[in-house]
Amino acid sequence: MNRKITYPVPHRQYRFYRVFREFARYAFIIAGAVCLLINYLLKGKAWSIIVVWSLFASWSLLFSLRLVEFSIFSHAVKVVFYLVVLLILIDRFLAPGWAKTVVPIVLFGYLLVMFIVFFATYGRRRRHLVSITMLGLFNLMLIPYSSSWPIRNWVAFAFQIASIVLFIVMIIINFKDLRYELKARFMMKTK
Amino acid sequence: MKNNRYNAQIIKLTGGQSAEDTKKIEAFFELLEEKCDLPFVSKNLLTEHFLRAFEYYLDQGKTVSETVKLLDPAKLGDFFMDDSRQYYSLDNAAIVYPLGMTFDQMPMFRVSAVLYEDIVPELLQIALDLTIKRFPLFLSIIKNGFFWHYLETTKLIPIIEEENDIPCKPISLILRSNRSFRLLYYKKRISLEVFHVLSDGSGAMIFLKTLVSEYLRLLGHEIPCGEGVKDLNEPVPEEELANEFIKAEGSGSLSTFTDKKALQLDGKLVHTNMSRIIHFNMSAAQLKKAAKRYDATVTTYLLALEFLAIRKAISANKGAVNVQIPVNMRKFDGSVTMRNYSMYFNASCELNDIKDRKQLIELFSEQFKERGNEEVMNNMMKTTDKLISSLSFVPLIIKTPLMQVIYPYMANNIVTGVLSNLGVIETPVEMKEYVDKFLFILNPSRPNRFMSSLATYKDKAVFTITKANREETLENELLRLLEEDGLNIELEGSVDYES
C-alpha cells in the first residue's frame, strides 16, 4: 500500500531475548523432566530435586523478571531466597549436616551487604524498603530451622541474633516510611 | 550558586552579558535551585533542561529579560520542592491491565498532535516540566500491593525522547526508569504514549492539549485556557482523580462480559507489538456527508465499512465478527475525571450475514441503541465493581496467574478488533493556527490483528489502522470502500516493521 512515511524506521529489533526465552522454556522443562525420570529409574539420592529447583531458580532469575517494581535490589533479594532454599535442599538430599550453620552466616552476610547498599543509596532508599523488609522477614522465618532449644549451634544463634538486631535497627530508622508502605500495599478498596 | 554540576555552563551563559543581565541569569538559576529541592540527580537534570532552553533562546536572539520571563522557574510552583508521595488505588478499568500484561504485551495507546512547524526539543522539555505539576497522576509508577496493584506518585523529572522506535512499545517498569508514560517528538509531531492504567484517550488528550498550549506559549504564542486546555496554576481538583466506576447503579449481570469467540483476521501475528500504522487522512465534512448519505453516524458508517473489509480479510466460512466499541462515560454524566472512564460493547455480525453498507448500518444503529445506551453501560460498570469487590480479599499473588489465564477469554478472544472514535477534538481558537491535526493510535492486543481509531480536528478526520499481521487486505479494502463513496484519502503511516 503506497503511503507517505511519517514514522521513523526503528533502529533495532530486540527479538533475540524473546526467541531465546521461548527456547529456554522448553529446554528447562525437558531437562527437569528427564532428570526426574533418570533419578526415579536409577534410585539413590534425590539429586533431581536439586536440579529441578536450580532450573526453576535459573528460569525465575533470568527469564521471568518481575514486570512491576523490578530493581537490582529486589532481584538481589530474590537471588538469596533461591540460594538459601538450594543450600537447604542440598543439605537435606545430598550432603547433610552443615546448612544449619551455613544458612544463618550467608543470610547475615547478605543482609549486612544489603544494609550498606540500602543506606549508601539514601536518595533511593524508600524504593528498596520493601525488598529489604522481605529479606529481614525471610531471615526471621528461618530461625526455627537453624536454632532449637536448648541452643547447641551457638555460631548459628549468634549470627541470627545479629541479623535480628540489624532488622530491628532498620525498622526503627524507617518506621514512618514502613508504615506508609504497609498502608499502601495492604489497601483493599478501589475507591 | 550552590553545589551544581552546571555551574560552569551557567557562568558561560553570563559571558559577554551586561552586569545587569548577569545578575538576572544568576538570580534565575538560584530561583530554579530553590524550586527544586530534590535529590542531586533530579536537581541536575532539571537545571540541564532549563540551561538548554536558555541557550536556545539566546541563540534565537531573545534578550535575557525575555528569556527569563518565558522560562520563569516560579511557574514550577512547589511541585518539585518536596519528595512527598501519594498512593492511589487503580480505577476499575485499569485494575485488570497489570494482571493481564506480559513483557511483550502492555496496554498502551498514543495520542499525537501534529504541528505546522518542526518541534523544538529544548522547549518541549520545559513545557513538560511545567505541565506535569497539573497532572501529577501521569508521573505515577505502578506498584505491587498485597491485594491489588496501585499507583504511587513520584517526583522524578520527566524526560522527553526523540521518536526512533515502534509506537506503543511496552514501557519498562523497572524502578530506575519508572515512568508510566512517554513523551516523544518527531519532526512536527508530539506524541504522548500512555500506559492504560493511568488514563484513557479522553484524559490523555487533555494532558496533551495542555502540554501543546504550554509549548506554544514558550514559542511566544499566547493560548488561553478552556476547551480541554487546563490552567497550570490551578490546584488539581479531586474530581479529576476520581474513580467514577463506583457511582454505577444497575443489576450487574456477569453476562455483559461474555460473548462468543470471535473470528480473527487471516495471517500470522508479527513478533513486534505491531506490523504497521496506516492513517487515512480525509476531510471531516466529506466523511460526515458520506455517512449522512446512508443516514448513519460517522462511527456506524466506518464500522459498516470495517465489517465489509473484514469479510474480505477472513478466509473462514462461518463464525462471528465482533468489533469492540469503547463508550466514553463522561458524555452521560459530564464527569471531569482524568482517569479511565470508558466502558465498551461489541458490535457483532455473523460472517455470512455481512452483505452491504445499508444492511450493516441498520444492524449497527440498532446495536448502538440496544447495547451502547447509558443503562447497559451502567449495568456493566456495576458488574465490574461487584466483580472487583468480590476479589478484593484474594491476594495478588493468586489473582495474577489466574487472570493471565482468564483475561484472554474475557477480553481479547471475544473481539476481532476495536474501533474507538475520540470524537471531534476542540481546542481554543488561538491554537488552531499552530496545530494541523491530532492522531489517536491503539496498540493491537493479541490475538487481535487490528485496532482502528478516529480523531477529528478542524476539518481533518484521521482514521487510523494499526495492524499486528502482515496482510494488507483490510486496509486495501477499506481504502477502496472509502474512495468508492467519493472520499479523497491521503495515506500516511509507518514502514512495515517486520518486512
Side-chain angles (χ1 to χ4, degrees), chain B residues 424-435:
Chain B
V424 179
I425 296 156
E426 297 292 350
T427 62
V429 186
E430 291 81 349
M431 208 159 145
K432 291 188 177 171
E433 61 180 294
Y434 306 108
V435 181

Side-chain angles (χ1 to χ4, degrees), chain B residues 423-484:
Chain B
V424 179
I425 296 156
E426 297 292 350
T427 62
V429 186
E430 291 81 349
M431 208 159 145
K432 291 188 177 171
E433 61 180 294
Y434 306 108
V435 181
D436 180 22
K437 59 188 170 189
F438 284 97
L439 309 171
F440 182 34
I441 294 173
L442 300 169
N443 193 26
S445 48
R446 268 58 177 158
N448 311 143
R449 264 77 166 170
F450 84 97
M451 297 272 153
S452 56
S453 51
L454 180 72
T456 309
Y457 182 61
K458 298 189 287 192
D459 187 40
K460 287 198 174 165
V462 186
F463 181 52
T464 302
I465 300 275
T466 37
K467 297 285 298 291
N469 63 346
R470 287 174 67 177
E471 277 71 2
E472 293 186 342
T473 318
L474 181 87
E475 47 270 41
N476 283 335
E477 187 60 13
L478 267 169
L479 178 65
R480 191 188 68 77
L481 291 166
L482 286 163
E483 285 180 339
E484 203 175 77

Side-chain angles (χ1 to χ4, degrees), chain B residues 140-328:
Chain B
S140 309
I141 55 168
I142 186 157
K143 295 185 98 172
N144 291 311
F146 190 75
F147 298 106
W148 296 108
H149 291 98
Y150 65 96
L151 290 172
E152 187 175 275
T153 56
T154 68
K155 292 294 170 71
L156 289 167
I157 307 289
I159 301 167
I160 63 161
E161 295 164 55
E162 185 171 6
E163 188 177 341
N164 58 17
D165 213 334
I166 301 173
C168 298
K169 277 196 90 167
I171 289 180
S172 163
L173 297 173
I174 292 173
L175 272 174
R176 280 174 71 86
S177 58
N178 50 5
R179 274 160 279 270
S180 305
F181 77 96
R182 274 192 207 110
L183 188 73
L184 305 157
Y185 65 93
Y186 181 69
K187 294 182 179 172
K188 296 171 181 168
R189 187 173 60 227
I190 300 171
S191 302
L192 174 69
E193 290 187 350
V194 181
F195 182 20
H196 224 322
V197 294
L198 291 183
S199 188
D200 56 14
S202 304
M205 188 51 84
I206 291 174
F207 181 30
L208 181 68
K209 282 196 278 187
T210 310
L211 179 95
V212 171
S213 84
E214 185 57 19
Y215 171 74
L216 292 171
R217 184 195 66 79
L218 290 165
L219 280 171
H221 315 300
E222 274 313 316
I223 309 291
C225 298
E227 304 284 5
V229 173
K230 300 280 181 188
D231 180 357
L232 296 185
N233 297 316
E234 71 176 7
V236 184
E238 277 289 309
E239 307 87 72
E240 282 187 14
L241 304 172
N243 174 11
E244 298 283 27
F245 287 87
I246 56 167
K247 295 193 311 198
E249 285 169 6
S251 61
S253 125
L254 195 65
S255 62
T256 47
F257 278 116
T258 51
D259 210 330
K260 274 193 281 184
K261 193 176 175 192
L263 291 168
Q264 301 297 333
L265 300 190
D266 290 347
K268 263 175 73 179
L269 289 162
V270 290
H271 290 98
T272 46
N273 60 317
M274 63 174 74
S275 58
R276 74 182 74 90
I277 299 170
I278 311 279
H279 296 300
F280 295 76
N281 290 293
M282 56 190 114
S283 150
Q286 268 188 22
L287 178 63
K288 210 172 164 187
K289 200 173 149 195
K292 267 270 175 278
R293 208 176 305 143
Y294 297 98
D295 204 15
T297 62
V298 166
T299 313
T300 332
Y301 168 70
L302 284 175
L303 189 64
L305 297 194
E306 213 164 66
F307 268 73
L308 289 169
I310 289 169
R311 180 74 191 87
K312 290 254 174 179
I314 292 179
S315 56
N317 294 324
K318 57 177 183 177
V321 176
N322 296 338
V323 172
Q324 192 181 81
I325 312 287
V327 177
N328 183 0

